[in-house]
Amino acid sequence: VRARTRVPSAADLAEDDLVSAGKQLTDLELDAERRAHASSEVLGTALQWVLAGRGGTGTVLGSALTEDDLRSGLEHCYRTLARHADNTRERIALVDTANRIRPRTWV
């Protein structure tokens, strides 16, 4: 999974690389913490890809290749990691990251 998404620039990836990495990750048997960590890497790369001006119609780990959907997926990953944090400081840092990455909403 990492080999598919580790490149100097996310813009160098093809949509198929991201979608395939997501499918491979889904097929792996991982505990919740490891799955959330690996998912955050893949979704983070996909978000960089979208922010670099690339666009696609596929999905990665249940998130459409749009900025808002990828941000929502990342937020979920960071909140999952926060629930598994070893200490309060780490938990707070992960929740802060989730809050920073979440999509912007207007009420």
Side-chain angles (χ1 to χ4, degrees), residues 92-105:
I92 290 169
L94 287 163
V95 168
D96 286 345
T97 301
N99 290 336
R100 273 194 309 276
I101 200 72
R102 61 186 264 165
R104 304 265 187 252
T105 54

Side-chain angles (χ1 to χ4, degrees), residues 6-62:
R6 293 266 174 149
V7 292
S9 171
D12 294 336
L13 293 170
E15 179 179 349
D16 187 55
D17 294 323
L18 297 167
V19 172
S20 294
K23 286 180 183 176
Q24 285 177 329
L25 181 55
T26 300
D27 293 341
L28 294 175
E29 292 184 27
L30 300 172
D31 60 53
E33 184 177 7
R34 286 185 186 197
R35 180 167 304 282
H37 190 314
S39 295
S40 70
E41 290 182 24
V42 173
L43 290 171
T45 300
L47 179 59
Q48 290 174 8
W49 185 79
V50 167
L51 294 176
R54 305 293 301 263
T57 58
T59 60
V60 176
L61 300 171

